[in-house]
Amino acid sequence: MFCYQCEQTAKGGCTKIGVCGKTDSTATLQDLLLHLTKGLAQVAVAARGQGIEDNEVNRFISEAVFSTLTNVNFDDARFVTLINKCVSLREGLKAKVSGVEFGGPATMAPALDIPGMVAQGKAVGVESDPEPNADIKSLKHTLTYGLKGVAAYMDHAAILGKEDDELYAKFQGLLVATLATGLTLEQAVEAGLECGRINIRAMELLDDANTSAYGHPVPTQVKLGPTAGKAILVSGHDLKDLETLLKQTEGKGINVYTHGEMLPCHGYPELHKYPHLAGHYGTAWQNQKKEFAEFPGAILMTTNCIQDPKKYIENIFTTGLVGWPGAVHVGNDDFTPVIERALAMPGFEADIDKGSVMTGFARNAVMSVADTVINAVKSGDIRHFFLVGGCDGAKPGRNYYTEFVEQAPADTVILTLACGKFRFFDKQLGDIGGIPRLLDVGQCNDAYSAVQIALALAKAFDCGVNDLPLSLILSWYEQKAVAILLSLLALGIKNIKLGPSLPSFITPNVLNLLVENYNIAPITTPEADLAEILG
């Protein structure tokens, strides 16, 4: 295997076992699935050119690509099913297309068993790209990883009934573009920026899906300590799974808690209305082995972020695209096995007061007090805004983000989103004229909300976004962060600071290009970066 798609990548690339826990066979099956899905996209693009649109194919392509994102699916058997379905859909669609001669992954037949598929996966993995130019290859891999992030957001939106045929078409076109040879540097850069643009549309679609179903988030206080009683913990990102579980647990004496990026769910009125949505438990995904082992109830993983659960395998359940060998997978929106396990477990013996945090500061909430914010900036009460957020992780150096927020002057405001917030989410930073200094915008996809806030402020001040007293201090871990970074670059946003380390798939020349065109820079120390930004 060879994998360097996440920030935790070992020494430039995992070659024996992933730091995430995926085995050689899982990694190579993912490579094979991704390659074959590109072949399905080739056929889908050709079919669309002949007026043939197949929504089952559209949905499957985003699901398959999402399945290869970090910490989603570790179950080899599930990948075999996906691989075979991919080829079945491909051949079915191919039969409807006339006058097109396909090649490459559009004609590849998978082996009949896992060892054979693994061998095929090794032949089409990351290192098999024939591109001789290291910088073009770097940009193509950046595009591939960005598309994995886009696929996640497309899938989340589709689950709530929001789809866009034009988005599917552009996504599939870019997926095919990763197979191209002979690209110029300009073409490769443009493909990455186009990925950023379609990710904006995917996040917009998901924002519409979430707010149409559950209302716009409102500032909400969330209890951190547990309540006595039976318990279920929900982690991942999927709002619909949480809603379904809340409905199915009504009147059963079970308290439901959020974990990780599910914290912002408390801000949605149609989810907050359930009295047994009892609070938030734990912190970010990389701490789950300790936190889940101590949780006295059932655990439901709804999307990516799962780690090896062998110490509590009987208590954890997966749904959607998540998979782990030995963990019970529940489908068809029936969480009965999760509920039965929770009822069989002891739950929390007593109430524990661990304080609370605020969430729900999405664009509507912030812009409802826009006049107050604008006046505070004009009067000098607010000197600067920092968007400090992104993915959390286990690698050393992430204490930078805690220290940055702690050292940010009292006349600055911190916007945050995604699981990177757990480095400082419970800090009591006070307020500026009634405006909290720490504003939790939401999940990683709520970067859309943060961008809308920035664009609205730029319009109010009659300036460009880069002229605002706003700095982006981002942390990355997996491929959704890559997609969001490409979106920010596509919007022309400059002066981003990125950490805790730079991606292994970015070559020095590509990094120089980003520095020259966008002034993107790695984080240094909180003291030095604050001094540079604030002058």
Side-chain angles (χ1 to χ4, degrees), residues 434-513:
I435 301 167
R437 286 194 56 230
L438 181 59
L439 302 173
D440 180 4
V441 179
Q443 294 183 339
C444 58
N445 52 280
D446 290 311
Y448 174 79
S449 249
V451 166
Q452 294 306 307
I453 292 169
L455 293 174
L457 288 175
K459 183 177 180 180
F461 286 110
D462 192 24
C463 67
V465 172
N466 292 314
D467 300 316
L468 287 171
L470 168 68
S471 299
L472 278 64
I473 316 296
L474 304 182
S475 55
W476 85 283
Y477 176 75
E478 42 92 310
Q479 297 82 68
K480 285 184 282 187
V482 176
I484 291 170
L485 180 61
L486 291 173
S487 294
L488 295 173
L489 299 181
L491 290 167
I493 294 176
K494 299 183 178 182
N495 306 315
I496 297 169
K497 292 195 179 297
L498 181 65
S501 60
L502 296 178
S504 295
F505 49 84
I506 296 292
T507 62
N509 286 337
V510 171
L511 178 59
N512 288 338
L513 183 150

Side-chain angles (χ1 to χ4, degrees), residues 179-196:
L179 296 167
T181 56
L183 292 176
T184 65
L185 185 67
E186 291 74 18
Q187 289 171 327
V189 168
E190 173 55 28
L193 294 176
E194 178 65 4
C195 178

